[in-house]
Amino acid sequence: MWQQNYTPIGGNLLASALVAALPIFTILILLGIFRRPAWLAAVSALIVALLVALLGYQMPPMLAVSATLFGAAFGLFPIWWVVFAAIFLFRIVEETGRFEVIKSSIVQLTNDRRLQVLLIGFTFGAFMEGAAGFGAPVAVAAAMLAGLGFARFEAAALCLIANTSPVAFGSIGIPIVTLAATTQLGVMGLSAYTGRLCAPVSLILPCYLVLTLGGPKALRGVLPAAAVCGVVYASVQLTVSNCMGPWLTDILGAMLAMIALLILLRLWQPRDSDQYRLNGGSAGTPPPVAKLNAAQVLLAWLPYLLLVVIVILWGIPSVHDWLDLATVKVPWPGLHNLVQRMPPVATKATNYAAIYNISYLSAAGSAVFIAALLSAICLKVSPGKCVIILGKTLRQLGVPALTFASVLALALLMNYSGATYTLGLAFATTGVLYPVFSVLLGWIGVFLTGSDTSSNALFGNLQVVAATSLHLDPTLMAAANSAGGVMGKMISLQSLAVAVAATGMKTTDEPRLFRKVVGHSVLLVAIVAVLNVIYSAIIRG
């Protein structure tokens, strides 16, 4: 049995934290300065993390190797699996020619690129986040925008920025449910505080997206639409998270925001749409749009309707529990219960479990994959053609698979070696500034893991320990971990890899995409930090 030591460098927390942060510095330097692909940054950071675990934390080599393999397996399933299934679905729609009908149906509704960003990037992306999560929103929405004629880089960046405030309630509320299980705090309290932190960001996010797309002039022309999206979604997010819990927050918010936007567009259209037409306004003329009948439109959208129905069905607790009967739980060899977490991270020496859940049926990716297979049947795709599309999707996602495996291997190695807890304890020493650093801790957690759920599992209990010692509200600080974390999702290596793969860009575009969105990530997490400071001050009196 190996016990974690959170101050391995001469018993000094600051020195230990600097060593623990070396893998993070490696990612930032390779991506932001040397402009290397995400897979190379991830693999390099993993090598650094192994050296830190072995030499700095004196972790036994077999434990370090086992933790690395455990993380890599988790990165491939379920994380990479859901992205693969989402791209497979999109390719079926694309290669059967149905996506041309989808494009035409959207253009007939509006050919204004700003409104398309609100419809697909924000509302449909938020719905996909609430229903599936785990990379599916960016994968599907970015691919759709790129298919509509957006520049691939632009589509990827916009969808990464949009996939922020809804993430805290993604996958039928899984991040909050996980946070409650990790911290032993009430689900409703965590949901309420997370909603109060995220709703102000949701309120401004549609306007922020349009500003990012075209600047203040672009926003002025569609301000009513952006305002309707923001007000409706944020109001529902706040109300549902506080009164009903985290489970349907995203789904209800996205559906009502989309309905409100569609009603508005029936009554009003922006006057300057000609400047923001599909394919660039002055840069080109939109392709002619054929008149479509209802049957054509319904058949083209059928794969996504099937996706929505199946994912919602998968989210019903009784159905999910039944599907979960097929899950195989594997105690990871050479790691399960062989590491002990120590105070103050745990109240006492506690065995650290390492269970790998092979959820064949209940995984979100499996729901998306079944939707893809049913779509292939409905669209009369032959088995041979389906296999060809499957092969193309595998080739497209080969390098991203390496990124996912390396990133999760890095995250879990840092977790089991104790490095992540060293960083958390260092933040906890900031005293009155801790409400700011609790948000940043969640942000770093999602940057490392690419998942708000994983970040909450990683740092949730540490937030409670630190908040209690500093006489802060532990429920608010734990919620801040989730709300702050989601603002780091756009800069995580997983998200960058998903966006690049979904839009068909090259892996060499990942550093450029990182530099594009990192400023947005910092600004949005700063807003959440300010909100957390205000709420903390109000609670303390």
Side-chain angles (χ1 to χ4, degrees):
M1 184 68 67
W2 181 70
Q3 295 181 330
Q4 291 180 337
N5 175 14
Y6 309 119
T7 55
I9 310 301
N12 185 284
L13 181 59
L14 178 59
S16 300
L18 290 173
V19 171
L22 288 176
I24 300 175
F25 294 147
T26 301
I27 293 173
L28 293 175
I29 291 170
L30 288 179
L31 270 182
I33 298 177
F34 291 105
R35 306 181 182 183
R36 299 300 184 221
W39 71 265
L40 182 59
V43 171
S44 301
L46 176 58
I47 293 171
V48 173
L50 275 168
L51 293 174
V52 168
L54 295 172
L55 303 179
Y57 284 82
Q58 301 297 306
M59 189 179 191
M62 288 304 297
L63 285 177
V65 171
S66 186
T68 301
L69 294 176
F70 181 44
F74 189 77
L76 294 175
F77 187 93
I79 306 299
W80 177 83
W81 172 233
V82 72
V83 179
F84 168 78
I87 301 299
F88 179 48
L89 173 65
F90 176 77
R91 277 193 165 274
I92 287 173
V93 175
E94 185 180 44
E95 299 213 12
T96 55
R98 302 297 175 179
F99 194 74
E100 293 302 314
V101 179
I102 289 177
K103 287 198 296 185
S104 296
S105 68
I106 294 174
V107 171
Q108 285 183 358
L109 180 65
T110 175
N111 63 3
D112 190 314
R113 299 167 69 247
R114 299 165 298 177
L115 296 176
Q116 290 168 353
V117 166
L118 295 177
L119 276 170
I120 297 173
F122 182 69
T123 57
F124 186 69
F127 182 89
M128 285 300 302
E129 180 60 47
F134 294 103
V138 171
V140 174
M144 290 180 72
L145 287 180
L148 281 169
F150 280 70
R152 294 174 180 181
F153 184 84
E154 182 180 57
L158 289 168
C159 288
L160 286 172
I161 296 169
N163 192 222
T164 47
S165 58
V167 173
F169 300 98
S171 302
I172 321 294
I174 285 296
I176 303 300
V177 173
T178 301
L179 187 60
T182 302
T183 61
Q184 303 301 308
L185 297 171
V187 170
M188 289 303 298
L190 291 168
S191 176
Y193 273 131
T194 305
R196 294 169 200 174
L197 287 166
C198 288
V201 178
S202 298
L203 180 65
I204 66 172
L205 191 55
C207 292
Y208 191 83
L209 284 170
V210 178
L211 276 173
T212 303
L213 175 66
K217 182 182 177 182
L219 177 59
R220 282 195 297 271
V222 292
L223 188 57
V228 163
C229 272
V231 169
V232 173
Y233 183 83
S235 299
V236 176
Q237 186 181 53
L238 183 63
T239 303
V240 174
S241 64
N242 278 260
C243 300
M244 296 174 61
W247 300 279
L248 294 175
T249 299
D250 278 349
I251 289 176
L252 291 177
M255 287 178 63
L256 291 175
M258 186 178 294
I259 290 170
L261 183 56
L262 291 175
I263 291 173
L264 176 67
L265 293 180
R266 300 283 291 184
L267 305 173
W268 165 91
Q269 287 286 337
R271 296 179 180 178
D272 59 348
S273 284
D274 286 346
Q275 300 177 40
Y276 299 96
R277 282 184 179 181
L278 183 68
N279 290 339
S282 61
T285 303
V289 179
K291 196 68 177 176
L292 303 172
N293 59 49
Q296 287 177 303
V297 174
L298 180 61
L299 189 61
W301 279 97
L302 183 61
Y304 292 106
L305 295 175
L306 286 171
L307 175 63
V308 168
V309 171
I310 291 173
V311 169
I312 291 178
L313 185 65
W314 253 239
I316 297 173
S318 57
V319 175
H320 189 275
D321 291 344
W322 179 74
L323 293 168
D324 218 24
L325 293 175
T327 297
V328 178
K329 298 181 183 294
V330 180
W332 196 261
L335 184 64
H336 178 59
N337 286 338
L338 295 180
V339 175
Q340 281 193 325
R341 288 184 289 188
M342 306 298 292
V345 169
T347 53
K348 61 180 180 179
T350 306
N351 289 349
Y352 201 166
I355 301 293
Y356 185 56
N357 294 318
I358 308 175
S359 45
Y360 297 103
L361 296 178
S362 60
S366 299
V368 180
F369 189 73
I370 289 173
L373 292 179
L374 290 176
S375 299
I377 294 171
C378 293
L379 298 179
K380 298 181 180 179
V381 179
S382 68
K385 179 69 171 177
C386 202
V387 170
I388 292 172
I389 296 173
L390 199 66
K392 289 181 179 179
T393 307
L394 281 170
R395 287 193 295 273
Q396 181 180 354
L397 293 177
V399 174
L402 175 60
T403 304
F404 296 161
S406 300
V407 168
L408 266 296
L410 163 68
L412 291 194
L413 175 60
M414 290 183 66
N415 199 6
Y416 281 92
S417 69
T420 50
Y421 298 115
T422 298
L423 293 172
L425 291 171
F427 280 140
T429 63
T430 55
V432 295
L433 294 177
Y434 187 70
V436 173
F437 285 97
S438 70
V439 171
L440 295 179
L441 192 59
W443 185 61
I444 289 173
V446 176
F447 167 67
L448 281 175
T449 65
S451 164
D452 197 42
T453 301
S454 298
S455 177
N456 287 344
L458 195 63
F459 288 132
N461 193 55
L462 188 60
Q463 295 274 14
V464 172
V465 171
T468 303
S469 66
L470 295 169
H471 306 291
L472 297 169
D473 188 324
T475 303
L476 175 59
M477 293 305 113
N481 191 87
S482 190
V486 301
M487 304 309 163
K489 192 169 179 71
M490 71 178 81
I491 58 172
S492 72
L493 298 190
Q494 284 188 66
S495 296
L496 294 172
V498 168
V500 166
T503 52
M505 291 191 290
K506 298 178 180 179
T507 57
T508 51
D509 290 313
E510 289 165 344
R512 186 164 66 101
L513 190 57
F514 172 81
R515 294 194 303 276
K516 171 69 176 179
V517 299
V518 67
H520 300 290
S521 179
V522 171
L523 176 59
L524 292 174
V525 79
I527 292 173
V528 177
V530 170
L531 290 169
N532 198 40
V533 170
I534 293 171
Y535 293 159
S536 299
I538 292 172
I539 291 172
R540 295 186 72 176

